Amino acid sequence: MSDRAAGPRQPALATVAKPSIRGIAVADLSAVFGAVVWLAMTVTGELDAIERALALAPLVLVPLALRTAVSGAFEAPVSRLTTTAIWLQPVGALLFAVSLVIPSPALLAAALATPWLAVTGLLGLAAFVRTRARGGLVFPETAIDAGFAYVSVGAVALLLAHLDLTLWFDRVIIRLTAVHFHYAGFVLPVAAGLTGRYLGDHSWEFRTVVGVVLVGPALIAVGIAFSPLVEVVAVSLFTVAVAAFGGVVLHRVVPACSRPQGLLLGIAAVALPVSMALALGYGISTFTGRSLGLTISTMVALHGSLNAFGFGLCATLGWRLSAP
């Protein structure tokens, strides 16, 4: 599709040779291996509900997203960073998952989670270099860079939980922060960026929606940490933005896709705003003091499952079927 230029001129791009083993992409092999590990840990009961969602992201969703997002738009200097991250990702993800089954706080669990921080740090550095080279905001690449930068926050949050450095928060909140920045912080911005690549859309309407999607995770985190009012406002704006984004996917992307890809992206487009509506209800109940039946355990079961499987898994698998 045509890509109408907008904003600062991008630097000359170089073809990125994606890491592979005997012609099979390392990221694809990692996602398959990660899925086997995740299923084994789930079937044996090693992971609780939060840990299942948390482990799914580095084991399966991140390699799938890297496989589709890292393209010719990643110029030569940045490709070295992303290539290193892709090679290290399987090891970092496996150790990340193992750290979840070690009773914590524990130094061993923190040590096992540290390599994942290195992987996400490389992605964040790649995002910084790309943004600096462009010299401004260029959609949809800015969305993908935001996802690459946000995911390291999730890695830091898990490390803090393992070290029991929770400040004034309950430890479960820190663990949920790790989940938040792997899904709302990483998967969603990358999915928004891939959608923008597919549509070649640089309209102000699309950029506004994606802009709220990008700042939303940070604002929600600030609200949870410091102000229920900020949390409610941030979640409200974020819910409207993801609903609009889901509408764009359903109206403009799904009809043009193959049936399997359209089904997966359609499920993701519907699951995301529903999960955020639950988050909005939880924020309102916290702010007003009225119980809406949305406890932490309920949110983990409903909101968490919709985000992890309805949105995260379906979105990354859908774009993997046919990357823009």
Side-chain angles (χ1 to χ4, degrees), residues 50 54 157 171-181 296 300:
I50 295 176
L54 191 51
R171 187 166 173 271
V172 70
I173 297 298
I174 303 299
R175 295 168 73 215
L176 289 173
T177 299
V179 177
H180 174 71
F181 279 99
I296 286 288
V300 169

Side-chain angles (χ1 to χ4, degrees), residues 36-295:
V36 172
V37 171
W38 184 87
L39 286 171
M41 297 179 76
T42 300
V43 169
T44 56
E46 296 288 346
L47 305 175
D48 63 24
I50 295 176
E51 291 164 350
R52 284 195 294 271
L54 191 51
L56 183 68
L59 287 172
V60 180
L61 306 188
V62 171
L64 285 174
L66 290 177
R67 180 69 174 86
T68 52
V70 176
S71 68
F74 283 68
E75 56 272 13
V78 181
S79 70
R80 290 192 287 272
L81 295 170
T82 54
T83 296
T84 304
I86 289 170
W87 279 112
L88 295 177
Q89 180 273 324
V91 176
L94 179 61
L95 295 178
F96 178 103
V98 173
S99 77
L100 298 177
V101 303
I102 296 175
S104 57
L107 288 176
L108 177 58
L112 290 171
T114 300
W116 185 246
L117 181 59
V119 173
T120 59
L122 286 169
L123 296 178
L125 182 57
F128 172 77
V129 174
R130 286 219 313 155
T131 300
R132 186 175 181 180
R134 285 196 304 268
L137 301 179
V138 180
F139 291 88
E141 301 308 314
T142 297
I144 292 173
D145 289 340
F148 281 23
Y150 269 141
V151 70
S152 59
V153 180
V156 170
L158 181 67
L159 195 60
L160 292 177
H162 283 327
L163 293 172
D164 201 28
L165 299 175
T166 60
L167 302 177
W168 58 88
F169 303 109
D170 189 280
R171 187 166 173 271
V172 70
I173 297 298
I174 303 299
R175 295 168 73 215
L176 289 173
T177 299
V179 177
H180 174 71
F181 279 99
H182 277 86
Y183 286 89
F186 175 77
V187 178
L188 177 56
V190 171
L194 292 173
T195 302
R197 281 183 182 176
Y198 182 85
L199 296 174
D201 193 340
H202 297 279
S203 65
W204 70 266
E205 296 92 346
F206 186 76
R207 284 186 289 175
T208 299
V209 168
V210 174
V212 177
V213 165
L214 300 192
V215 301
L219 290 178
I220 292 170
V222 169
I224 291 173
F226 301 107
S227 170
L229 177 59
V230 172
E231 179 186 1
V232 170
V233 173
V235 173
S236 298
L237 292 174
F238 195 64
T239 301
V240 172
V242 297
F245 173 65
V248 169
V249 173
L250 289 173
H251 179 64
R252 299 178 58 189
V253 177
V254 171
C257 293
S258 65
R259 184 170 297 178
Q261 184 181 29
L263 177 62
L264 288 168
L265 294 180
I267 292 172
V270 172
L272 182 60
V274 173
S275 73
M276 287 311 305
L278 291 171
L280 178 59
Y282 178 78
I284 291 173
S285 68
T286 301
F287 179 67
T288 62
R290 294 183 178 182
S291 175
L292 299 178
L294 296 173
T295 62

